[in-house]
Amino acid sequence: MNRSREGFFVIDRIVRFWKGYVRIRIHSQETERFLNLCAKNGLLLYWIQESGNGCELDISLSDFFRLQPICRKTHTRIHIIQKKGMPFFFHRNRKRKALFVGIFLCFALLQFLSTRIWNIHVEGNYSYSTQAILQYLEEQDIRHGIAKKELSCAGISAGIREHFPEMIWVAARISGTRLLISVQENMDSFSQQEEASGPSDLIATKSGEIIRMVTRQGIPQARVGELCEKGQVLIRGLVDIFNDNGELVRQAQVPADGDVYIKTSYSYYKEFPLTYQKRVYTGKTKETIVLQIHSLELQAGLPGRSFAHFDRVGKFHTLKLTENFYLPVVFGKNTIHEYRIVRESYSEEEAKELAKAQILQFLDEIMEKGVEILENNVTIEITKDQCISKGTIYGLEKTGKSAPLSSVGQSTTERTAQE
Amino acid sequence: MKETYTRFRKGLMSTLEVPRDLALQESLLTVTGSSDLCIENYKSIQFYSQENIRILTRKGKICICGKSLRIQYYTSDEMGISGQFQEIVFEP
């Protein structure tokens, strides 16, 4: 009950301010009678407070003009103490034309801005980033600040679906000055490898010794243990069809398919000097505040010119109005850390550890490409001022890619599908 | 006779579950803490000062004593009083 009454008071206060009210002081021998007569006549009185030999109270402007008969009846004198509210505000500032023009322009601007889109919100996207979708929209001239009437939600939805085939459902709607785009992606999709639709050969992409070979379709042209060269046909897509008498009836063209694993070698050589320069931070830092507007960069504070060697660490924020509406204003600070260079040298153990780490990094890189490491013959050698790692790494990797059928191939009579 | 009528009226209103403030024209006081008071069903203000407000009701008088008493709003149906209340006395 009290809460609703408080809410009523807030609204009532706004209405009173809008209509205007006055604070008056009444001088009367019959103050209570004056108050009761006001209430009986439907006049609303607020904040009645005793003051000196009278009483002060708030009364709305319209009720104020109805006080005269009551005053006459109760022999009451009235003094206006304060005038409050919009009618008095406008009356006081009636000569300030610029103020009214400003208020009018403010409302006009508000009205104009409310007809435009100031926030583009994308939700439900996983594989496609919000930036990618926003970039597509920008290509379609849909950007922050566009007029709402120029937008077609159905067109946006259809365009996004067409441009991003993985999206199975797109909904665009306008809510106030926001453009809300809800998408749903096909989570079950997988990257389908493009299968050769026409007849083709399978050729080697690298040179090496064939270790393992499984033919699914076509005639193998190489055997396990043989060496193959890059570009050599491994499985041929031309299959001979024989009749019961062993006579060649025809040749069928098929897309060659199979798994061929070859042993490849990687040469490894890396050297580094045993002496190196080490950065020792002195602990002295300086901070500069940076403000960048478009290409104009303003910097406040002392730059690190007094430091001979220094590292600069920047932390910047781009100003944005709404969720994805970034302004070309970047602000932040640069922290400059001074350091001095000290020449140091690796011990034999340290150098070996570093070399091992480099080798492991190289192995990780080639394993990421799907290579299985078979043999590692890299040796670490430490000379007077160098650490040299060199050797060969043998790996097992899958090879083979589809290529158009070669016109002249090996005689099909020499090898059959059974082989 | 009058007592019998009053008892009958009270019993009837109780049976019909009509609120007492409507049925018997009793005043309704809502006090929030010791600084806020709302009164309904009264006739008029008999006396007002910062320390004392006496309100005339159909069943007697209500005297509110305290400090810095102010009337927040005053209409013929309802009035709100704020200040530091010390006592509320019901006088016959």
Side-chain angles (χ1 to χ4, degrees):
Chain A
M1 185 177 174
N2 287 332
R3 189 162 291 183
S4 63
R5 191 177 291 149
E6 279 169 20
F8 165 75
F9 282 151
V10 174
I11 296 166
D12 188 55
R13 194 175 290 180
I14 294 167
V15 172
R16 273 166 58 207
F17 187 80
W18 181 255
K19 289 184 174 175
Y21 64 99
V22 287
R23 184 144 188 90
I24 56 172
R25 181 179 292 144
I26 53 173
H27 299 277
S28 173
Q29 296 298 320
E30 299 169 298
T31 309
E32 288 82 10
R33 192 176 169 222
F34 173 85
L35 297 176
N36 291 329
L37 278 172
C38 286
K40 288 282 178 294
N41 283 288
L43 308 185
L44 203 52
L45 307 176
Y46 295 94
W47 297 112
I48 304 164
Q49 194 172 12
E50 192 187 9
S51 154
N53 57 346
C55 204
E56 284 183 13
L57 56 95
D58 283 355
I59 187 166
S60 68
L61 203 56
S62 53
D63 287 349
F64 176 76
F65 293 113
R66 293 168 59 196
L67 278 178
Q68 201 180 9
I70 299 169
C71 291
R72 202 178 300 137
K73 196 179 278 182
T74 57
H75 307 287
T76 304
R77 284 183 294 121
I78 291 175
H79 292 281
I80 295 171
I81 301 169
Q82 213 173 1
K83 297 172 183 175
K84 295 175 185 174
M86 290 303 283
F88 298 111
F89 174 80
F90 283 123
H91 188 261
R92 262 199 308 276
N93 298 293
R94 64 188 180 280
K95 287 183 181 175
R96 295 180 177 175
K97 302 285 186 296
L99 177 71
F100 294 104
V101 172
I103 291 170
F104 173 75
L105 283 179
C106 176
F107 280 102
L109 190 67
L110 205 63
Q111 174 65 26
F112 170 72
L113 293 178
S114 66
T115 60
R116 302 198 158 246
I117 293 292
W118 296 111
N119 185 12
I120 301 175
H121 177 74
V122 183
E123 61 185 12
N125 53 322
Y126 293 101
S127 56
Y128 292 106
S129 69
T130 302
Q131 287 307 316
I133 296 167
L134 288 177
Q135 196 175 349
Y136 163 74
L137 290 175
E138 199 159 334
E139 284 167 12
Q140 305 299 313
D141 282 336
I142 298 165
R143 47 173 71 92
H144 292 92
I146 190 172
K148 282 196 272 190
K149 63 180 180 184
E150 288 178 21
L151 287 179
S152 159
C153 290
I156 293 168
S157 305
I160 292 174
R161 266 200 306 273
E162 194 178 329
H163 194 261
F164 302 100
E166 292 295 314
M167 291 183 184
I168 52 171
W169 181 80
V170 179
R173 66 189 174 93
I174 295 168
S175 169
T177 57
R178 301 177 77 203
L179 174 62
L180 306 173
I181 297 171
S182 304
V183 301
Q184 198 165 353
E185 293 178 10
N186 188 5
M187 302 302 287
D188 300 329
S189 68
F190 54 91
S191 56
Q192 291 182 337
Q193 289 179 348
E194 282 188 16
E195 291 176 4
S197 52
S200 60
D201 287 340
L202 195 78
I203 61 166
T205 53
K206 275 187 175 181
S207 303
E209 183 191 347
I210 299 170
I211 302 293
R212 211 159 59 222
M213 189 169 180
V214 177
T215 308
R216 280 190 286 273
Q217 202 167 27
I219 306 295
Q221 301 295 304
R223 285 193 174 119
V224 172
E226 281 183 4
L227 288 172
C228 70
E229 294 296 322
K230 186 181 176 183
Q232 182 186 327
V233 177
L234 298 173
I235 302 171
R236 189 162 166 73
L238 205 60
V239 181
D240 297 333
I241 310 292
F242 296 96
N243 62 9
D244 292 341
N245 298 329
E247 294 166 346
L248 181 66
V249 179
R250 62 183 178 88
Q251 287 186 314
Q253 295 183 344
V254 294
D257 186 21
D259 295 332
V260 183
Y261 290 88
I262 58 168
K263 184 181 179 182
T264 50
S265 63
Y266 291 88
S267 296
Y268 181 83
Y269 183 87
K270 204 156 197 172
E271 63 175 30
F272 60 86
L274 291 176
T275 55
Y276 66 100
Q277 293 181 338
K278 189 181 176 184
R279 292 178 176 185
V280 178
Y281 289 93
T282 60
K284 290 181 185 172
T285 57
K286 281 182 181 176
E287 284 187 354
T288 58
I289 295 166
V290 179
L291 175 69
Q292 191 178 344
I293 303 166
H294 273 295
S295 55
L296 177 71
E297 187 176 311
L298 303 169
Q299 199 161 322
L302 292 167
R305 282 178 192 158
S306 53
F307 297 152
H309 303 283
F310 59 85
D311 272 346
R312 182 180 296 175
V313 180
K315 195 175 179 183
F316 298 97
H317 303 279
T318 307
L319 206 64
K320 59 179 183 178
L321 276 183
T322 57
E323 185 187 358
N324 290 314
F325 185 13
Y326 287 92
L327 297 173
V329 180
V330 179
F331 64 94
K333 66 175 181 181
N334 274 325
T335 310
I336 295 158
H337 301 271
E338 191 197 24
Y339 66 84
R340 56 191 169 80
I341 295 170
V342 179
R343 291 189 71 80
E344 288 196 2
S345 59
Y346 292 115
S347 67
E348 195 171 320
E349 288 298 316
E350 284 175 341
K352 278 186 178 174
E353 285 299 319
L354 186 62
K356 276 182 191 171
Q358 288 175 345
I359 294 165
L360 283 175
Q361 191 184 349
F362 179 75
L363 291 177
D364 282 343
E365 281 172 14
I366 58 173
M367 279 164 75
E368 274 179 19
K369 293 175 191 168
V371 179
E372 186 186 331
I373 307 298
L374 294 176
E375 210 173 317
N376 179 5
N377 295 333
V378 178
T379 55
I380 301 167
E381 196 179 312
I382 295 175
T383 61
K384 190 183 173 186
D385 56 349
Q386 294 269 337
C387 175
I388 302 166
S389 324
K390 60 181 178 183
T392 311
I393 294 160
Y394 293 98
L396 182 69
E397 64 183 291
K398 191 179 176 182
T399 189
K401 70 168 182 180
S402 294
L405 279 176
S406 52
S407 56
V408 182
Q410 202 177 338
S411 170
T412 52
T413 53
E414 287 178 10
R415 287 183 180 161
T416 61
Q418 284 75 25
E419 287 175 316
Chain B
M1 183 69 187
K2 195 178 177 183
E3 272 184 26
T4 313
Y5 171 69
T6 310
R7 215 180 307 133
F8 168 74
R9 195 175 154 190
K10 278 186 179 177
L12 183 68
M13 292 304 165
S14 175
T15 310
L16 295 174
E17 294 184 353
V18 177
R20 281 172 66 87
D21 57 316
L22 288 176
L24 307 171
Q25 296 178 326
E26 302 253 26
S27 293
L28 193 68
L29 278 79
T30 311
V31 185
T32 310
S34 63
S35 62
D36 206 14
L37 171 65
C38 175
I39 307 177
E40 294 168 63
N41 291 347
Y42 54 84
K43 283 169 83 175
S44 61
I45 297 174
Q46 200 176 35
F47 177 75
Y48 168 67
S49 71
Q50 279 193 335
E51 287 80 28
N52 197 353
I53 299 176
R54 198 178 302 123
I55 297 157
L56 200 63
T57 68
R58 285 183 177 81
K59 294 289 169 79
K61 293 169 192 168
I62 299 170
C63 188
I64 299 145
C65 300
K67 288 177 186 171
S68 311
L69 298 180
R70 293 195 301 177
I71 300 171
Q72 285 180 325
Y73 55 96
Y74 182 46
T75 66
S76 55
D77 305 320
E78 191 179 341
M79 75 189 290
I81 300 171
S82 65
Q84 292 178 334
F85 303 144
Q86 286 169 341
E87 57 180 359
I88 299 172
V89 181
F90 294 89
E91 296 170 359

